Amino acid sequence: MAVRHDLRQITINVFLAGLFAGASDVQGAALIDTIADSDLNGEDYAIYSNPTEVLAAFDAGYLGTVAKNLLISAFAQDAPVPSRIIVANYDGATEDPSDAFARMLDAGLDFVAVACTSVTASDQIALSNAVEADKDHVCGILTSDTGGLPAGLSGIAENEWTYAVYHETAAEHPEFLLASQRTAFNPEQNFYQWEGLIRGLTANANVTSTVATALEGANISYAAPFGTRTLVSEGRSLTGRPVEELITAILFQRRAREAAVAMKADYVALGQAIPVDTEGQVLVEGRVIRPTADNLLSTGRVTAVSVSRPAITSADLTALRVPATVELTVARSGRKITINAYFKQPEAA
Amino acid sequence: MTTEFEARTSQFYDLRNGNTISLNGIKLGGFGETAAVSYEFVNDRAEHMAGADGIVVISNTNDDRLVATLTFMETSKSYAYVYGLFVAQQAAIRAGQRIPTLAYYHEDRINGDRVSAPDAVFITVPGPTKEKTAGEREFTILLPYAGDPFRMQMGPRNLGGLL
């Protein structure tokens, strides 16, 4: 059967209770480097808020040259300037970037997009697959193959949550600069697309119309002149989905989790329990699902919301969880995101 | 035989079991003697005027504000709970903080009506009036965009197969 865009839905399973620490502003990017280059003074990660902090860390030997240059460049892009950029590291001898990604998740760090300085296929695949399993961030990878996605990366060609950027100067990492610049915007205020005017990139010499066709055919973005500026476009994931749809999905599930945590806290405080039945589904819908979806409608990110209540299964009863299904119709493309949310009963207070 | 739009079937209504009226996910109850909740649009949906030569211009107001009036018995637990939400909202406003989320949701599972607002704001709260018998307490709450006709839903759902 031929593929239909409107049927290629993202389906996300979210367990809404107690999984998220604090409120997320659904902004920010993270860069993963090796310990050999960026030892971060022995820490697993560091958070930089301005170029002064970056240069101080570089002078102290905590940041490598590539990471330093990328962070300086990221803070030098057009407004809005990122309020923070996370750098995390991994042991290049025994680990891969996915280990650093996992440590950032364990630490409850708040970021939306992640990229790594490594251009080794195995490292990129490991990070991409970790992000694919998590379904709560987007992953950027760099490629220098003019023919499309390199054979070494064919294993992640169907990864929904990864986007690739072609660039000839490997140390410049436009995939990271794109991530840091885009995620500086507040997705609740701006329905931004995943393409950006990036300053300071070396021009690509090899992007002929033939190469451009090959890259676009593989859903790989690239930098090219756009008026007097350089535009990295057009921001699709490896499966062809515009990355802004993934941002919409991330925004929904993070806000829903926050609402679920607040609801759980209220119930615990009041000495109440949410029934695992239809009324429980209505209450979860009223406190968690509808308000979150209504806010997305208000931002214009989605044009329609459909909430349904799956039948409560014995597995749901055993796990004391209240299931809901949300279908968001994304603005601009009209495609749908389906989220299966499970609100878990508060633990014994 | 002509078909009837309003079929002669039994129709059902149940405030207690069919309706869930919740604030921040807590189901409310202990309503007034006859009133539970009522809704009112702040403005008409359209305004109209006639020009000097009689040409009529109709302006869509685009005003989706809906005001909900909740009525409780003064003895009800929900009265205390809702008043606590009001106090929390006032505390945040006076401290200059972001107003805590007040998610209003009402669904009539029998009839199909549904009103949803993620950002409700208290407009009026009752005083502690005392009389010979237990009195009622009335809150009015602004639901800023709940009147959006594409966001709210009107019943009846129990006629689904016929409509």
Side-chain angles (χ1 to χ4, degrees):
Chain A
M1 180 180 158
V3 168
R4 288 176 56 104
H5 271 308
D6 52 357
L7 295 179
R8 296 181 65 210
Q9 298 188 11
I10 306 176
T11 298
I12 305 169
N13 292 312
V14 189
F15 291 85
L16 292 173
L19 286 179
F20 197 75
S24 168
D25 58 11
V26 198
Q27 290 177 265
L31 179 68
I32 297 176
D33 201 2
T34 60
I35 289 177
D37 286 328
S38 296
D39 73 3
L40 304 177
N41 196 23
E43 302 292 334
D44 291 335
Y45 64 87
I47 300 174
Y48 300 100
S49 303
N50 55 59
T52 305
E53 292 178 4
V54 174
L55 289 173
F58 177 70
D59 290 343
Y62 304 151
L63 271 180
T65 304
V66 171
K68 181 262 291 182
N69 288 342
L70 283 175
L71 266 59
I72 294 293
S73 180
F75 283 119
Q77 300 298 325
D78 294 343
V81 176
S83 60
R84 65 181 184 282
I85 297 174
I86 301 167
V87 179
N89 61 16
Y90 65 100
D91 185 336
T94 59
E95 296 181 322
D96 60 51
S98 70
D99 294 293
F101 179 66
R103 282 192 286 269
M104 286 193 288
L105 297 187
D106 287 344
L109 297 186
D110 186 8
F111 62 102
V112 174
V114 61
C116 62
T117 55
S118 173
V119 291
T120 305
S122 59
D123 286 341
Q124 293 176 324
I125 291 170
L127 181 60
S128 172
N129 285 338
V131 171
E132 190 74 13
D134 179 57
K135 296 185 191 300
D136 194 31
H137 301 80
V138 294
C139 169
I141 61 170
L142 183 67
T143 163
S144 57
D145 192 322
T146 55
L149 196 66
L153 294 176
S154 60
I156 58 171
E158 291 299 315
N159 277 10
E160 188 90 75
W161 298 78
T162 296
Y163 66 95
V165 178
Y166 166 88
H167 202 59
E168 290 157 19
T169 309
E172 288 183 346
H173 287 280
E175 86 286 9
F176 168 73
L177 295 174
L178 182 62
S180 65
Q181 192 213 43
R182 292 292 93 186
T183 59
F185 284 102
N186 179 350
E188 287 170 316
Q189 303 286 336
N190 301 83
F191 182 21
Y192 57 77
Q193 298 161 35
W194 202 257
E195 54 186 1
L197 297 163
I198 306 294
R199 295 182 184 278
L201 288 180
T202 305
N204 283 318
N206 293 333
V207 182
T208 61
S209 59
T210 304
V211 170
T213 301
L215 295 175
E216 288 165 9
N219 299 310
I220 296 173
S221 304
Y222 56 92
F226 189 78
T228 57
R229 303 289 301 274
T230 300
L231 179 70
V232 178
S233 185
E234 64 171 11
R236 290 180 182 272
S237 76
L238 290 175
T239 57
R241 183 183 293 278
V243 173
E244 69 253 23
E245 294 183 11
L246 304 171
I247 301 297
T248 298
I250 292 169
L251 179 61
F252 178 86
Q253 60 180 331
R254 291 193 187 187
R255 289 288 175 260
R257 279 201 297 252
E258 288 160 13
V261 169
M263 183 176 180
K264 172 176 175 170
D266 285 349
Y267 268 75
V268 171
L270 292 168
Q272 299 289 316
I274 301 167
V276 184
D277 60 12
T278 303
E279 182 141 278
Q281 289 179 302
V282 173
L283 291 168
V284 169
E285 182 176 332
R287 175 66 180 94
V288 177
I289 306 297
R290 288 268 172 207
T292 310
D294 282 349
N295 281 330
L296 285 183
L297 280 169
S298 299
T299 64
R301 283 194 157 264
V302 302
T303 55
V305 173
S306 170
V307 182
S308 57
R309 296 175 193 139
I312 293 173
T313 64
S314 58
D316 293 328
L317 290 168
T318 302
L320 293 177
R321 66 190 187 192
V322 181
T325 297
V326 191
E327 192 176 87
L328 309 173
T329 303
V330 182
R332 212 161 79 94
S333 72
R335 280 193 291 269
K336 293 185 171 63
I337 298 171
T338 301
I339 296 177
N340 298 313
Y342 297 92
F343 186 100
K344 290 197 73 178
Q345 185 82 306
E347 309 298 332
Chain B
M1 179 181 168
T2 57
T3 57
E4 293 191 44
F5 178 69
E6 195 73 27
R8 293 170 64 87
T9 57
S10 298
Q11 299 175 358
F12 298 93
Y13 175 80
D14 185 334
L15 175 70
R16 176 179 164 80
N17 297 301
N19 282 266
T20 300
I21 301 169
S22 69
L23 264 174
N24 273 359
I26 302 293
K27 182 179 179 180
L28 303 176
F31 295 112
E33 190 173 10
T34 57
V37 62
S38 65
Y39 299 100
E40 195 171 352
F41 286 97
V42 172
N43 274 316
D44 294 339
R45 299 306 305 185
E47 294 177 5
H48 48 88
M49 61 203 307
D53 59 350
I55 303 297
V56 176
V57 179
I58 300 157
S59 302
N60 196 7
T61 57
N62 293 306
D63 187 347
D64 293 330
R65 287 175 295 171
L66 196 65
V67 171
T69 301
L70 290 164
T71 307
F72 302 103
M73 297 302 294
E74 67 173 295
T75 51
S76 80
K77 198 171 172 180
S78 292
Y79 165 43
Y81 171 69
V82 174
Y83 196 83
L85 293 174
F86 161 70
V87 171
Q89 192 170 80
Q90 280 292 306
I93 292 170
R94 292 179 189 197
Q97 297 167 349
R98 186 175 176 179
I99 298 177
T101 299
L102 188 61
Y104 180 88
Y105 190 65
H106 175 193
E107 181 175 312
D108 183 335
R109 293 197 295 286
I110 296 175
N111 202 37
D113 294 329
R114 187 181 66 224
V115 177
S116 168
D119 43 9
V121 178
F122 286 96
I123 302 300
T124 59
V125 293
T129 304
K130 295 295 172 187
E131 295 175 347
K132 181 181 178 184
T133 56
E136 297 181 343
R137 298 289 185 259
E138 206 173 82
F139 295 84
T140 56
I141 300 174
L142 177 67
L143 312 176
Y145 300 101
D148 180 341
F150 298 100
R151 188 176 289 190
M152 66 193 306
Q153 176 180 306
M154 296 299 186
R157 182 184 284 166
N158 58 348
L159 297 179
L162 299 174
L163 290 176

